Amino acid sequence: MYNETKIKLMGCAILKVALVGSSGGHLTHLYMLKPFWKDKERFWVTFDKEDARSILKGEKMYPCHYPTNRNIKNLIKNTVLAWKILKKEKPDLIISSGAAVAVPFFYLGKLFGAKVIYIEVFDRIDKPTLTGKLVYPITDEFIVEWEEMKKVYPKAKNLGSIF
């Protein structure tokens, strides 16, 4: 399980965290980081679906537009949404494990001065995800869960499995 000691943030004080990801497995992935985010001010950006509403009951959540993968219309909508949310919330850190909704939040988040951490999903052992490829160049930390993935993402850190 990832925790404060595993996720080093270049000495930055993290006051507010944005957790951004699709519902389903990506949301579960982020939720498993609870030892890291539980004592921090935070908000979530995910799909407005039953699993997200159930898991995030009592949490501050912003619904994003879906489907996201290879959907230009929703990419544009989520970019506008990211601009509004990031301008309002001003997170210090944005964490995501995908999918495509992470892209506008990461790029705009960098413009707003946030640190960004991407966690490549567990089921990718030797091939990158599209979202991973898109955000890799701008991440402050890029985390993989398999040593083989460091051949795909040379600057990545292997912190092992979240599961």
Side-chain angles (χ1 to χ4, degrees):
M1 181 73 68
Y2 297 156
N3 57 35
E4 200 80 40
T5 60
K6 279 194 169 184
I7 299 177
K8 301 280 188 232
L9 299 171
M10 299 141 288
C12 297
I14 302 303
L15 304 174
K16 187 185 278 190
V17 178
L19 297 121
V20 179
S22 308
S23 59
H26 295 286
L27 178 60
T28 301
H29 217 182
L30 293 172
Y31 198 82
M32 292 178 79
L33 298 173
K34 189 173 184 177
F36 172 76
W37 55 255
K38 69 180 178 184
D39 60 348
K40 294 171 179 51
E41 184 179 356
R42 64 194 170 273
F43 65 92
W44 299 78
V45 178
T46 191
F47 302 162
D48 188 12
K49 291 188 168 185
E50 185 57 40
D51 68 321
R53 288 189 299 271
S54 175
I55 291 170
L56 300 178
K57 187 174 185 176
E59 294 282 325
K60 182 188 273 188
M61 185 191 97
Y62 294 95
C64 62
H65 303 279
Y66 65 92
T68 55
N69 289 343
R70 295 166 182 87
N71 187 309
I72 298 299
K73 179 179 158 189
N74 284 339
L75 173 62
I76 293 166
K77 287 180 176 180
N78 283 329
T79 300
V80 171
L81 183 69
W83 180 268
K84 290 177 183 177
I85 292 170
L86 294 170
K87 188 174 178 184
K88 175 184 175 186
E89 293 287 348
K90 298 177 177 64
D92 302 297
L93 172 65
I94 303 169
I95 301 176
S96 183
S97 63
V101 67
V103 175
F105 277 86
F106 271 39
Y107 277 87
L108 291 175
K110 291 295 281 187
L111 289 176
F112 280 94
K115 299 293 183 188
V116 294
I117 296 177
Y118 188 78
I119 303 168
E120 187 66 285
V121 292
F122 181 76
D123 64 346
R124 291 301 178 116
I125 298 171
D126 59 1
K127 290 185 173 55
T129 60
L130 178 57
T131 302
K133 287 193 294 188
L134 291 172
V135 301
Y136 178 71
I138 63 154
T139 57
D140 293 293
E141 296 283 351
F142 195 96
I143 299 170
V144 294
E145 299 182 61
W146 297 96
E147 193 61 29
E148 293 85 347
M149 288 300 284
K150 290 184 75 178
K151 292 175 188 161
V152 177
Y153 301 113
K155 73 174 187 175
K157 292 183 180 176
N158 177 9
L159 298 184
S161 174
I162 289 178
F163 298 101

